[in-house]
Amino acid sequence: MHAWRVMMMMPRSKKQRQLFYLVPYGAWLLLFVIVPLCLLVVQSLMTQNGHFTLNNYAIYFSSGTYLRMTFNSVWFAFLITIITLIISYPTAYFLNQLKQKQFWLLLIILPTWINLLLKTYAFIGLLSKTGSVNTFLNLWGIAPKQLLFSDWSFLLVAAYIEIPFMILPIFNSLAEINPRLEQASRDLGANKWQTLRYVTVPLSMTGVKAGIQAVFIPSLSLFMITRLIGGNRVITLGTAIEEHFLVTQNWHLGSTIGVILIIAMVITMSITRDRVRKHSRKRG
Amino acid sequence: MKLHAFLVTMYLLTKSEDWALTNTSTPIIEFKNISLSYDDNEVLKNIDLELEAGKFYTLLGPSGSGKTTILNLISGQLTATHGNILFEGNVINDVPVEKRNMNTVFQDYGLFPNMNVYDNVAFGPSIKGMNKATIKTKVTEMLDLVKLSQFADREINELSGGQRQRVAIARALANDPEILLLDEPLSALDYKLRKDMQSELREIQQRLGITFVFVTHDQEEALAMSDWIFVMNDGVIQQNGSPEDIYDEPINHFVADFIGESNILDGIMKADYLVHFVGKDFENVDAGMRPNERVEVVLRPEDLDLTTVDQAKLIVTIEDQSFRGDYYEITAIDDDGNEWQVQATNKATVGSRLGLTFDPEDIHIMRFNESEDDFDARLESYDDDAAE
């Protein structure tokens, strides 16, 4: 009897059924994306006492420190993205030529299974004054160098962590290219480099854009590595948010920075979005 | 003065002879003892072939026969395990794909999806570094040639299969190749379109006067388009010749069976001009074989005529018939149980007994394991006999 009633409640038409399947996704979206986002915006528009104010934004935009932090965040995220892209594209390209490509790809993805914090600590072990790198340098008679707590070490570790997220989408887009197209390019007189430039690279741009999104956006709000490896020399918006929420307990200003970060991400997404190519070029 | 004129004439004569020699004797492509193997799998076995400039060649064979492999060796996409490939008399084994003056129309077209029709066709000329105006002239000319002038700004995914095919042809020809290689380019098109493209390709080839090498498994297509056909099977060229030669005088069982419909029977050459099969002796036009040599006899369905029993060379029972538009395809069985395919203009009654008749020259004799050279020499000797 009960089962029959449930059956009766099941939507019948195709459209109704599609709507029915949307319910869990919609609920998830509402609870964990839209509501928190609204809360964040509301928080950013309130004073500590709960009154409406634009003061938080005024503080943010009038303070040289925050603007510098914003610039820092974008600049370092940009550097990290460029470094990972330079390393990842050739890697993905050569990976795609290998016979056992799935195996080699797995080796590259493997580090992502390890906790981020653990990997970061491992780098402290490698780069500290008594770490492996300095021990090795010492063998050649080079005095221990300060490697940790520098911009370079921050970039190194951040790039290391982000590389798999750049390689994977690029690899996938390269693997999807019909090998016949490269063959055709060679047949038409293009050498290997010209084929790469005019055929392979343009056809893998979707992967590159996805990779840039996957690396640039999280890099904007990195905070743990900035502290542990960068020694808080590099202060980004991620660090600032952490400070406001955990240390100064000013959630409202923290939310404001959060909202600005989200806007920055939306801008990045829209720039790197894969547009449908429309040809309206005029030929003269 | 007279002497001088004589000397000049002589000089011009030797020059023109030289010119004639270089033009007729140097093939545009030559394979010398080419073999290709992957691991233990021999894909091509000791291939020798010569292609003359300006002709329409077809490599015909079932899938896996090695025909596409030959195409890829000419284009440079593959390298032979041993043997030499010559282009206009020079070995080109080590010349990379992009440096060979030949272009390919691929089976799946291989058009660049990130470029529109214009940019696809312009790809070759732009890589060569031609200036924009020259490229534009070239592309316009090519799109005109394949009747796609209105489609320059279209994206590839907006085109039909037939249009993509044309773009692929225009793109390959835009490089002014000396040889155009076509890898089963029509196999994805429907019947009507394929027929149209066949005559159009033939027309383009004759207009441009360049060498075409066309790969297909469709014997009808090969017969309709080619100047010269290479029939391939198992990595070996079984026979090469004009479409008429190959159809009329197949060298062996494979060729007879693969090209057109055939009735193939075991027989014995009792003596010159006398062959024995289906229990009877028949007069024919073949000679020069050992007495009582075992042979195969080929009779084409269209060479057989149905007649009354009293005029018959052979009596058969009609088993089945089907209407094929311009003829009836009739299956008949003789008293020995051999099946015969006959093409007749008139309807027959299934189950009736009728006579089969054919002329001595309709009987084609195939010797077992005869080499192409021996086969050609044998056929030539018949022609000499006929001339005497």
PDB file of all heavy atoms in Angstrom, chain A residues 23 44 46 63 66 80 109 113 119 144 164 182 187 193 214 243-244 246 264 277 283:
ATOM      1  N   VAL A  23      15.958  18.109  -7.894  1.00  0.00           N
ATOM      2  CA  VAL A  23      15.742  18.493  -6.499  1.00  0.00           C
ATOM      3  C   VAL A  23      16.984  18.358  -5.624  1.00  0.00           C
ATOM      4  O   VAL A  23      17.385  19.330  -4.980  1.00  0.00           O
ATOM      5  CB  VAL A  23      14.534  17.731  -5.906  1.00  0.00           C
ATOM      6  CG1 VAL A  23      14.479  17.889  -4.402  1.00  0.00           C
ATOM      7  CG2 VAL A  23      13.250  18.232  -6.551  1.00  0.00           C
ATOM      8  N   SER A  44      29.403  41.376   4.922  1.00  0.00           N
ATOM      9  CA  SER A  44      30.351  42.403   4.484  1.00  0.00           C
ATOM     10  C   SER A  44      29.718  43.788   4.501  1.00  0.00           C
ATOM     11  O   SER A  44      30.411  44.798   4.470  1.00  0.00           O
ATOM     12  CB  SER A  44      30.868  42.075   3.079  1.00  0.00           C
ATOM     13  OG  SER A  44      29.858  42.338   2.120  1.00  0.00           O
ATOM     14  N   MET A  46      27.747  44.895   6.975  1.00  0.00           N
ATOM     15  CA  MET A  46      27.280  45.210   8.339  1.00  0.00           C
ATOM     16  C   MET A  46      28.436  45.641   9.236  1.00  0.00           C
ATOM     17  O   MET A  46      29.583  45.251   9.030  1.00  0.00           O
ATOM     18  CB  MET A  46      26.592  43.980   8.926  1.00  0.00           C
ATOM     19  CG  MET A  46      25.221  43.759   8.321  1.00  0.00           C
ATOM     20  SD  MET A  46      24.130  42.850   9.412  1.00  0.00           S
ATOM     21  CE  MET A  46      24.891  41.278   9.409  1.00  0.00           C
ATOM     22  N   SER A  63      42.590  51.751   2.035  1.00  0.00           N
ATOM     23  CA  SER A  63      43.813  51.333   2.722  1.00  0.00           C
ATOM     24  C   SER A  63      44.842  50.835   1.726  1.00  0.00           C
ATOM     25  O   SER A  63      44.581  49.939   0.925  1.00  0.00           O
ATOM     26  CB  SER A  63      43.478  50.205   3.713  1.00  0.00           C
ATOM     27  OG  SER A  63      44.556  49.316   3.793  1.00  0.00           O
ATOM     28  N   TYR A  66      45.645  46.958   2.112  1.00  0.00           N
ATOM     29  CA  TYR A  66      44.770  45.983   1.465  1.00  0.00           C
ATOM     30  C   TYR A  66      44.953  45.971  -0.046  1.00  0.00           C
ATOM     31  O   TYR A  66      44.921  44.926  -0.684  1.00  0.00           O
ATOM     32  CB  TYR A  66      43.308  46.237   1.832  1.00  0.00           C
ATOM     33  CG  TYR A  66      42.994  45.818   3.250  1.00  0.00           C
ATOM     34  CD1 TYR A  66      42.443  46.697   4.171  1.00  0.00           C
ATOM     35  CD2 TYR A  66      43.271  44.512   3.668  1.00  0.00           C
ATOM     36  CE1 TYR A  66      42.176  46.324   5.460  1.00  0.00           C
ATOM     37  CE2 TYR A  66      43.007  44.122   4.964  1.00  0.00           C
ATOM     38  CZ  TYR A  66      42.458  45.027   5.864  1.00  0.00           C
ATOM     39  OH  TYR A  66      42.212  44.641   7.134  1.00  0.00           O
ATOM     40  N   ILE A  80      52.533  32.109 -10.294  1.00  0.00           N
ATOM     41  CA  ILE A  80      52.367  30.663 -10.085  1.00  0.00           C
ATOM     42  C   ILE A  80      51.745  30.021 -11.339  1.00  0.00           C
ATOM     43  O   ILE A  80      52.183  28.978 -11.805  1.00  0.00           O
ATOM     44  CB  ILE A  80      51.488  30.386  -8.839  1.00  0.00           C
ATOM     45  CG1 ILE A  80      52.236  30.822  -7.571  1.00  0.00           C
ATOM     46  CG2 ILE A  80      51.100  28.916  -8.751  1.00  0.00           C
ATOM     47  CD1 ILE A  80      51.331  30.951  -6.354  1.00  0.00           C
ATOM     48  N   ILE A 109      49.739  12.446 -11.038  1.00  0.00           N
ATOM     49  CA  ILE A 109      48.565  12.763 -10.228  1.00  0.00           C
ATOM     50  C   ILE A 109      48.737  12.278  -8.779  1.00  0.00           C
ATOM     51  O   ILE A 109      48.172  12.836  -7.853  1.00  0.00           O
ATOM     52  CB  ILE A 109      47.298  12.143 -10.861  1.00  0.00           C
ATOM     53  CG1 ILE A 109      47.033  12.814 -12.210  1.00  0.00           C
ATOM     54  CG2 ILE A 109      46.083  12.292  -9.967  1.00  0.00           C
ATOM     55  CD1 ILE A 109      46.000  12.123 -13.021  1.00  0.00           C
ATOM     56  N   TRP A 113      47.175  12.949  -3.983  1.00  0.00           N
ATOM     57  CA  TRP A 113      46.485  12.112  -2.996  1.00  0.00           C
ATOM     58  C   TRP A 113      47.024  12.366  -1.589  1.00  0.00           C
ATOM     59  O   TRP A 113      46.445  11.936  -0.617  1.00  0.00           O
ATOM     60  CB  TRP A 113      46.664  10.626  -3.317  1.00  0.00           C
ATOM     61  CG  TRP A 113      46.066  10.225  -4.642  1.00  0.00           C
ATOM     62  CD1 TRP A 113      45.415  11.031  -5.514  1.00  0.00           C
ATOM     63  CD2 TRP A 113      46.068   8.933  -5.225  1.00  0.00           C
ATOM     64  NE1 TRP A 113      45.020  10.325  -6.606  1.00  0.00           N
ATOM     65  CE2 TRP A 113      45.397   9.029  -6.471  1.00  0.00           C
ATOM     66  CE3 TRP A 113      46.572   7.681  -4.821  1.00  0.00           C
ATOM     67  CZ2 TRP A 113      45.218   7.926  -7.296  1.00  0.00           C
ATOM     68  CZ3 TRP A 113      46.392   6.594  -5.653  1.00  0.00           C
ATOM     69  CH2 TRP A 113      45.719   6.717  -6.886  1.00  0.00           C
ATOM     70  N   LYS A 119      52.675  17.703   2.480  1.00  0.00           N
ATOM     71  CA  LYS A 119      53.615  18.053   1.402  1.00  0.00           C
ATOM     72  C   LYS A 119      54.367  19.330   1.761  1.00  0.00           C
ATOM     73  O   LYS A 119      55.564  19.444   1.537  1.00  0.00           O
ATOM     74  CB  LYS A 119      52.848  18.247   0.084  1.00  0.00           C
ATOM     75  CG  LYS A 119      52.467  16.952  -0.569  1.00  0.00           C
ATOM     76  CD  LYS A 119      51.875  17.169  -1.947  1.00  0.00           C
ATOM     77  CE  LYS A 119      50.444  17.599  -1.858  1.00  0.00           C
ATOM     78  NZ  LYS A 119      49.749  17.586  -3.149  1.00  0.00           N
ATOM     79  N   PRO A 144      75.604  26.860   4.010  1.00  0.00           N
ATOM     80  CA  PRO A 144      74.139  26.782   4.041  1.00  0.00           C
ATOM     81  C   PRO A 144      73.497  28.108   3.652  1.00  0.00           C
ATOM     82  O   PRO A 144      73.964  29.172   4.050  1.00  0.00           O
ATOM     83  CB  PRO A 144      73.840  26.454   5.504  1.00  0.00           C
ATOM     84  CG  PRO A 144      75.072  25.824   6.010  1.00  0.00           C
ATOM     85  CD  PRO A 144      76.209  26.440   5.266  1.00  0.00           C
ATOM     86  N   PRO A 164      49.895  19.340 -11.060  1.00  0.00           N
ATOM     87  CA  PRO A 164      48.972  18.300 -11.554  1.00  0.00           C
ATOM     88  C   PRO A 164      47.645  18.869 -12.048  1.00  0.00           C
ATOM     89  O   PRO A 164      47.082  18.361 -13.011  1.00  0.00           O
ATOM     90  CB  PRO A 164      48.742  17.418 -10.330  1.00  0.00           C
ATOM     91  CG  PRO A 164      49.906  17.675  -9.445  1.00  0.00           C
ATOM     92  CD  PRO A 164      50.313  19.080  -9.682  1.00  0.00           C
ATOM     93  N   GLU A 182      47.411  16.315 -37.111  1.00  0.00           N
ATOM     94  CA  GLU A 182      48.846  16.586 -37.131  1.00  0.00           C
ATOM     95  C   GLU A 182      49.466  15.995 -38.386  1.00  0.00           C
ATOM     96  O   GLU A 182      50.341  16.588 -39.016  1.00  0.00           O
ATOM     97  CB  GLU A 182      49.507  16.055 -35.856  1.00  0.00           C
ATOM     98  CG  GLU A 182      49.175  16.960 -34.680  1.00  0.00           C
ATOM     99  CD  GLU A 182      49.516  16.368 -33.325  1.00  0.00           C
ATOM    100  OE1 GLU A 182      50.319  15.420 -33.262  1.00  0.00           O
ATOM    101  OE2 GLU A 182      48.964  16.859 -32.326  1.00  0.00           O
ATOM    102  N   ASP A 187      51.562  16.870 -43.816  1.00  0.00           N
ATOM    103  CA  ASP A 187      51.333  16.592 -45.243  1.00  0.00           C
ATOM    104  C   ASP A 187      51.263  17.885 -46.046  1.00  0.00           C
ATOM    105  O   ASP A 187      51.686  17.934 -47.189  1.00  0.00           O
ATOM    106  CB  ASP A 187      50.039  15.795 -45.385  1.00  0.00           C
ATOM    107  CG  ASP A 187      49.798  15.339 -46.817  1.00  0.00           C
ATOM    108  OD1 ASP A 187      50.335  14.277 -47.175  1.00  0.00           O
ATOM    109  OD2 ASP A 187      49.081  16.036 -47.548  1.00  0.00           O
ATOM    110  N   TRP A 193      57.401  22.084 -35.625  1.00  0.00           N
ATOM    111  CA  TRP A 193      57.141  23.297 -34.836  1.00  0.00           C
ATOM    112  C   TRP A 193      55.927  24.046 -35.344  1.00  0.00           C
ATOM    113  O   TRP A 193      55.107  24.531 -34.581  1.00  0.00           O
ATOM    114  CB  TRP A 193      58.376  24.215 -34.838  1.00  0.00           C
ATOM    115  CG  TRP A 193      59.441  23.684 -33.950  1.00  0.00           C
ATOM    116  CD1 TRP A 193      60.636  23.141 -34.324  1.00  0.00           C
ATOM    117  CD2 TRP A 193      59.385  23.582 -32.523  1.00  0.00           C
ATOM    118  NE1 TRP A 193      61.321  22.713 -33.220  1.00  0.00           N
ATOM    119  CE2 TRP A 193      60.598  22.978 -32.104  1.00  0.00           C
ATOM    120  CE3 TRP A 193      58.440  23.954 -31.550  1.00  0.00           C
ATOM    121  CZ2 TRP A 193      60.884  22.729 -30.769  1.00  0.00           C
ATOM    122  CZ3 TRP A 193      58.739  23.708 -30.212  1.00  0.00           C
ATOM    123  CH2 TRP A 193      59.934  23.106 -29.837  1.00  0.00           C
ATOM    124  N   ALA A 214      41.926  26.387 -12.993  1.00  0.00           N
ATOM    125  CA  ALA A 214      42.146  25.475 -11.875  1.00  0.00           C
ATOM    126  C   ALA A 214      43.339  25.886 -11.021  1.00  0.00           C
ATOM    127  O   ALA A 214      43.463  25.483  -9.877  1.00  0.00           O
ATOM    128  CB  ALA A 214      42.324  24.051 -12.390  1.00  0.00           C
ATOM    129  N   GLU A 243      43.451  36.010   8.920  1.00  0.00           N
ATOM    130  CA  GLU A 243      43.728  36.896  10.055  1.00  0.00           C
ATOM    131  C   GLU A 243      42.442  37.481  10.636  1.00  0.00           C
ATOM    132  O   GLU A 243      42.221  37.454  11.840  1.00  0.00           O
ATOM    133  CB  GLU A 243      44.641  38.060   9.610  1.00  0.00           C
ATOM    134  CG  GLU A 243      46.060  37.650   9.274  1.00  0.00           C
ATOM    135  CD  GLU A 243      46.915  37.449  10.520  1.00  0.00           C
ATOM    136  OE1 GLU A 243      46.896  38.333  11.396  1.00  0.00           O
ATOM    137  OE2 GLU A 243      47.576  36.386  10.614  1.00  0.00           O
ATOM    138  N   HIS A 244      41.595  37.980   9.755  1.00  0.00           N
ATOM    139  CA  HIS A 244      40.367  38.626  10.219  1.00  0.00           C
ATOM    140  C   HIS A 244      39.412  37.658  10.870  1.00  0.00           C
ATOM    141  O   HIS A 244      38.742  37.982  11.841  1.00  0.00           O
ATOM    142  CB  HIS A 244      39.681  39.387   9.078  1.00  0.00           C
ATOM    143  CG  HIS A 244      40.343  40.693   8.774  1.00  0.00           C
ATOM    144  ND1 HIS A 244      40.476  41.675   9.724  1.00  0.00           N
ATOM    145  CD2 HIS A 244      40.942  41.171   7.666  1.00  0.00           C
ATOM    146  CE1 HIS A 244      41.109  42.706   9.212  1.00  0.00           C
ATOM    147  NE2 HIS A 244      41.416  42.417   7.939  1.00  0.00           N
ATOM    148  N   LEU A 246      40.209  34.568  12.231  1.00  0.00           N
ATOM    149  CA  LEU A 246      40.732  33.803  13.355  1.00  0.00           C
ATOM    150  C   LEU A 246      41.435  34.661  14.408  1.00  0.00           C
ATOM    151  O   LEU A 246      41.390  34.364  15.582  1.00  0.00           O
ATOM    152  CB  LEU A 246      41.704  32.732  12.848  1.00  0.00           C
ATOM    153  CG  LEU A 246      41.071  31.715  11.883  1.00  0.00           C
ATOM    154  CD1 LEU A 246      42.107  30.696  11.432  1.00  0.00           C
ATOM    155  CD2 LEU A 246      39.874  31.020  12.517  1.00  0.00           C
ATOM    156  N   ALA A 264      36.908  38.770  -8.114  1.00  0.00           N
ATOM    157  CA  ALA A 264      38.132  38.563  -8.895  1.00  0.00           C
ATOM    158  C   ALA A 264      38.074  37.219  -9.615  1.00  0.00           C
ATOM    159  O   ALA A 264      38.485  37.082 -10.776  1.00  0.00           O
ATOM    160  CB  ALA A 264      39.355  38.620  -7.991  1.00  0.00           C
ATOM    161  N   ARG A 277      33.215  29.936 -31.033  1.00  0.00           N
ATOM    162  CA  ARG A 277      33.891  30.755 -32.023  1.00  0.00           C
ATOM    163  C   ARG A 277      32.905  31.218 -33.086  1.00  0.00           C
ATOM    164  O   ARG A 277      32.240  30.441 -33.742  1.00  0.00           O
ATOM    165  CB  ARG A 277      34.992  29.949 -32.703  1.00  0.00           C
ATOM    166  CG  ARG A 277      36.227  30.751 -33.022  1.00  0.00           C
ATOM    167  CD  ARG A 277      37.277  29.804 -33.516  1.00  0.00           C
ATOM    168  NE  ARG A 277      37.026  29.477 -34.897  1.00  0.00           N
ATOM    169  CZ  ARG A 277      37.727  29.982 -35.903  1.00  0.00           C
ATOM    170  NH1 ARG A 277      38.679  30.843 -35.661  1.00  0.00           N
ATOM    171  NH2 ARG A 277      37.489  29.621 -37.120  1.00  0.00           N
ATOM    172  N   ARG A 283      37.280  39.595 -45.089  1.00  0.00           N
ATOM    173  CA  ARG A 283      38.536  39.439 -45.807  1.00  0.00           C
ATOM    174  C   ARG A 283      38.692  40.529 -46.832  1.00  0.00           C
ATOM    175  O   ARG A 283      37.809  40.764 -47.625  1.00  0.00           O
ATOM    176  CB  ARG A 283      38.571  38.088 -46.504  1.00  0.00           C
ATOM    177  CG  ARG A 283      38.495  37.020 -45.511  1.00  0.00           C
ATOM    178  CD  ARG A 283      38.626  35.655 -46.083  1.00  0.00           C
ATOM    179  NE  ARG A 283      38.325  34.719 -45.025  1.00  0.00           N
ATOM    180  CZ  ARG A 283      39.164  34.443 -44.048  1.00  0.00           C
ATOM    181  NH1 ARG A 283      40.339  34.989 -44.015  1.00  0.00           N
ATOM    182  NH2 ARG A 283      38.812  33.607 -43.114  1.00  0.00           N
TER     183      ARG A 283
END
